[in-house]
Amino acid sequence: MIENLNDFVKLLSQGVYVIGVTDGTHENAFTAAWVMQVSFNPPLLALSINPAYYSYQLLQKGEAFSVNVLGDHQYTTAAHFGNSSADKMKGYAWQKDTTGAPILSDALAYFDCKVRDTTPAGDHIIVIGEIISIGKLNPGKPLLYQQTDTMDNSKDLYA
Ligand SMILES: Cc1cc2nc3c(=O)[nH]c(=O)nc-3n(C[C@H](O)[C@H](O)[C@H](O)COP(=O)(O)O)c2cc1C
């Protein structure tokens, strides 16, 4: 293992997002930092997800996801959706756009995406989604991954 790798990857500038998923019946969402734009035409976003997550089952079935941009005051929201549970939407106001994936009403903005492709990447799966719809919800500046410090316990995840 490369020493102190976690400290170095924390220097990569990344935002913090809540990814909403649904199988058409159940909704869930999880916090993600590994999200990026990957194409202009068509407009594509990619995210990297651990396939062991409950959220991945819903994403696979629903073939869609929402990317909710968190504001720099939404640290507790990032922590809440960073925990594993099938019941995380409870207590959070949410809405739907085209795909039906849950959108957090308190987010700064959202992207509603349909899955276009998936590709394995080590212990994660890269999911590429086409942006079907977008919306601005609240004013503010985005939360950055560096600001979440040890919230994701990533230091312990390198073998
Ligand atoms: C700040 C932060 C960033 C995270 N980024 C990712 C990510 O990009 N990809 C991922 O698979 N998990 C990421 N996680 C972990 C998931 O949010 C976490 O494991 C969550 O419990 C999964 O939800 P589920 O088990 O209810 O589906 C992150 C967690 C935090 C706190």
Side-chain angles (χ1 to χ4, degrees):
M1 181 193 139
I2 304 170
E3 235 176 88
N4 299 329
L5 183 54
N6 193 53
D7 296 337
F8 279 73
V9 295
K10 282 261 151 77
L11 296 174
L12 296 169
S13 295
Q14 285 166 313
V16 182
Y17 310 94
V18 170
I19 310 300
V21 289
T22 181
D23 62 358
T25 312
H26 308 97
E27 285 80 25
N28 201 35
F30 69 99
T31 303
W34 295 353
V35 176
M36 66 188 287
Q37 182 177 357
V38 293
S39 165
F40 283 124
N41 186 20
L44 302 178
L45 292 183
L47 61 87
S48 186
I49 179 172
N50 184 329
Y53 293 167
Y54 170 63
S55 295
Y56 184 65
Q57 291 175 30
L58 299 189
L59 188 154
Q60 250 188 328
K61 279 192 199 142
E63 296 182 332
F65 60 86
S66 66
V67 175
N68 297 268
V69 182
L70 293 185
D72 57 7
H73 59 291
Q74 292 183 294
Y75 189 90
T76 50
T77 304
H80 172 79
F81 287 98
N83 282 312
S84 188
S85 157
D87 206 17
K88 278 183 270 184
M89 302 312 297
K90 215 177 181 176
Y92 282 79
W94 61 274
Q95 58 205 64
K96 293 177 187 181
D97 196 325
T98 311
T99 70
I103 291 159
L104 293 184
S105 304
D106 284 343
L108 299 189
Y110 68 87
F111 301 82
D112 197 23
C113 303
K114 272 194 181 149
V115 172
R116 282 277 296 250
D117 215 346
T118 59
T119 193
D123 52 14
H124 278 57
I125 290 185
I126 296 171
V127 181
I128 297 173
E130 178 168 354
I131 302 167
I132 301 299
S133 182
I134 51 175
K136 230 180 179 178
L137 297 171
N138 296 287
K141 288 188 176 161
L143 180 65
L144 300 179
Y145 182 49
Q146 286 89 344
Q147 291 170 253
T148 64
D149 196 24
T150 57
M151 186 192 286
D152 63 356
N153 299 316
S154 52
K155 210 169 192 139
D156 305 331
L157 298 175
Y158 293 96

